[in-house]
Amino acid sequence: MKPLKTAIGLVLTAVMLFPIYWMINVSFTQDGDMRKSPPNWFPVNGTLDGYRAVLDQQLPYLGTSLLVGLGTVALTLAVAAPAGYSLAKLRPRGGGLLGFVLLVAQMIPGIIMAMGFYAIFLTTGVLNTVPGLIVADSTLAVPFAVLIFTTFMSGIPEELLQAARTDGAGVVRTFVSIVLPVSRNAIITVSLFAFLWAWSDFIFASTLDQGGDHQPITLGIYHYIGNNNQEWNAIMATAVIASIPATILLIIAQRYVAAGVTAGAVKD
């Protein structure tokens, strides 16, 4: 029975990973072989033209995506960490209602939020700007981040916070000196998800930054798609390059993410 389960698991894994393999395969395939039937399962006459195009044309878009991602992480942490601490330990009036609102906020379709932001940004003059895109992307991450921080910080022993208060630490100092250092797993989890959401965002980018001078990679890839021509090897090469930062971050942070997401699920 165990070998059968292993075989099924391998087959399912191969099916899920096949699109990634095909993306890499196509990124090395010459334009003349794209519509070959049957297709080449391996890049027999491989080419690096797609990757040359990425290095020549897509680096500014990758830089913008990196800037938006890091800005989204910083803004998300600045808003969500104090909010999570307040809900977990200070228990303000209406905290339960706020938690419910945060849950509901995650169910709002992104396109609806994008339309609302478009009207606001058009009035305030931040349409087609990097700061505007950072603010918009943060709205996806903040509700999730507050819930993660609230769950994690609820598990911090009250004795630890009481000892800080006894030593004369106020609310802010307790938060900065005690709560944040022991919330490392939650911080890494929130930072990773916030960065990945901003890095892969297309709805906000196409709605709020389509005419900007600094566009993210999700818009840069569309420069290879025209009405009569699609540069598939360049498209897939861009996708491969854009996937590398996310893959590296997931590999490095996976154990912290597992601890951060499951924090508070089991009580001692």
Side-chain angles (χ1 to χ4, degrees), residues 155-195:
I156 298 176
E158 287 290 342
E159 293 80 3
L160 186 62
L161 304 182
Q162 186 60 43
R165 298 189 193 100
T166 301
D167 291 338
V171 174
V172 176
R173 185 174 180 182
T174 300
F175 172 69
V176 173
S177 302
I178 305 297
V179 176
L180 286 183
V182 301
S183 301
R184 180 184 62 177
N185 291 339
I187 292 174
I188 294 176
T189 301
V190 167
S191 299
L192 178 63
F193 280 96
F195 182 86

Side-chain angles (χ1 to χ4, degrees), residues 227-259:
N227 293 330
N228 301 313
N229 181 45
Q230 292 83 34
E231 301 177 40
W232 285 111
N233 60 348
I235 292 172
M236 293 305 177
T238 304
V240 170
I241 296 298
S243 301
I244 292 176
T247 303
I248 293 175
L249 287 175
L250 284 170
I251 293 174
I252 294 175
Q254 58 179 336
R255 68 188 183 96
Y256 300 104
V257 172

Side-chain angles (χ1 to χ4, degrees), residues 120-178:
I120 295 173
F121 287 0
L122 186 63
T123 303
T124 56
V126 293
L127 191 65
N128 298 322
T129 64
V130 171
L133 199 55
I134 290 174
V135 171
D137 286 334
S138 298
T139 60
L140 294 176
V142 166
F144 169 82
V146 172
L147 295 177
I148 289 293
F149 277 124
T150 301
T151 302
F152 189 93
M153 293 176 180
S154 295
I156 298 176
E158 287 290 342
E159 293 80 3
L160 186 62
L161 304 182
Q162 186 60 43
R165 298 189 193 100
T166 301
D167 291 338
V171 174
V172 176
R173 185 174 180 182
T174 300
F175 172 69
V176 173
S177 302
I178 305 297

